[in-house]
């Protein structure tokens, strides 16, 4: 690989992993997953920090990668985990943080408009009640392990 190609990959990688801001809200460490190349749905996960002195709320997400993009969570009902839409969004506490993670709150992509493969990237817009929009590029990472699962297996 040429040096110029390596530099381009390094620059794009650092841009994607760099925190993004909207007002006092910082979004970082975003990535997306799909179950397979022919999947009709996928999900994105990320960390949100609220540096303000008032609660904010993630109220919606949008992307042209899917026909519908919603905020979802997993809830247990009668011993069965079910995914459900978060109608009221996700509260990000003042001075606090909230992680959208596997098995919990996440951005859900339904009716994918194209195949998503490891290394692909797409644009995602997160809308906050007070901070406004964060427009970000999200990498598809099919190799990333859930931090909690990794710790659970190492003991």
């Amino acid at each position: 690989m040429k040096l110029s190609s390596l530099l381009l990959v390094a620059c794009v990688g650092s841009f994607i992993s760099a925190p993004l801001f909207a007002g006092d809200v910082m979004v970082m460490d975003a990535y997306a997953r799909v179950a397979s190349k022919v999947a009709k749905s996928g999900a994105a996960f990320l960390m949100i920090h609220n540096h303000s002195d008032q609660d904010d709320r993630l109220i919606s997400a949008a992307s042209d990668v899917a026909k519908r993009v919603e905020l979802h969570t997993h809830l247990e009902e009668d011993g069965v985990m079910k995914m459900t839409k978060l109608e009221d969004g996700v509260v990000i506490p003042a001075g606090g943080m909230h992680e959208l993670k596997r098995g919990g709150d996440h951005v859900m992509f339904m009716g994918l408009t194209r195949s998503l493969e490891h290394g692909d990237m797409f644009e995602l817009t997160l809308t906050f009640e007070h901070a406004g929009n964060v427009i970000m590029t999200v990498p598809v990472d099919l190799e990333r392990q859930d931090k909690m699962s990794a710790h659970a297996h190492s003991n």
Side-chain angles (χ1 to χ4, degrees):
M1 185 178 276
K2 293 182 178 181
L3 180 59
S4 60
S5 297
L6 286 171
L7 289 173
L8 177 62
V9 169
C11 288
V12 169
S14 65
F15 174 73
I16 291 169
S17 63
L20 298 168
F21 288 88
D24 290 324
V25 170
M26 178 176 72
V27 179
M28 58 188 288
D29 201 23
Y31 71 101
R33 294 183 58 85
V34 293
S36 71
K37 289 181 182 181
V38 295
K40 298 294 181 198
S41 63
F45 313 98
L46 48 102
M47 178 65 76
I48 304 169
H49 294 259
N50 180 356
H51 296 284
S52 78
D53 59 0
Q54 70 175 350
D55 290 353
D56 205 338
R57 183 180 303 271
L58 174 60
I59 56 175
S60 68
S63 177
D64 65 359
V65 78
K67 293 176 185 172
R68 284 190 1 233
V69 181
E70 297 178 351
L71 303 174
H72 278 206
T73 195
H74 287 91
L75 298 174
E76 185 177 342
E77 290 182 17
D78 300 322
V80 177
M81 293 300 287
K82 294 185 178 183
M83 198 170 3
T84 185
K85 182 179 178 181
L86 291 166
E87 297 290 345
D88 297 327
V90 178
V91 173
I92 316 303
M97 62 181 79
H98 187 82
E99 183 175 11
L100 303 188
K101 61 184 179 179
R102 290 156 64 179
D105 299 342
H106 57 279
V107 178
M108 188 74 198
F109 305 102
M110 294 167 290
L112 291 175
T113 57
R114 64 181 172 99
S115 171
L116 295 177
E117 298 184 31
H118 183 75
D120 287 350
M121 292 184 260
F122 62 90
E123 192 171 278
L124 173 65
T125 301
L126 301 177
T127 301
F128 293 89
E129 187 172 50
H130 300 294
N133 290 339
V134 173
I135 300 171
M136 57 194 316
T137 301
V138 178
V140 177
D141 187 344
L142 304 179
E143 297 173 355
R144 187 165 176 168
Q145 297 295 312
D146 181 53
K147 293 174 190 171
M148 292 305 290
S149 297
H151 292 301
H153 293 298
S154 65
N155 292 333

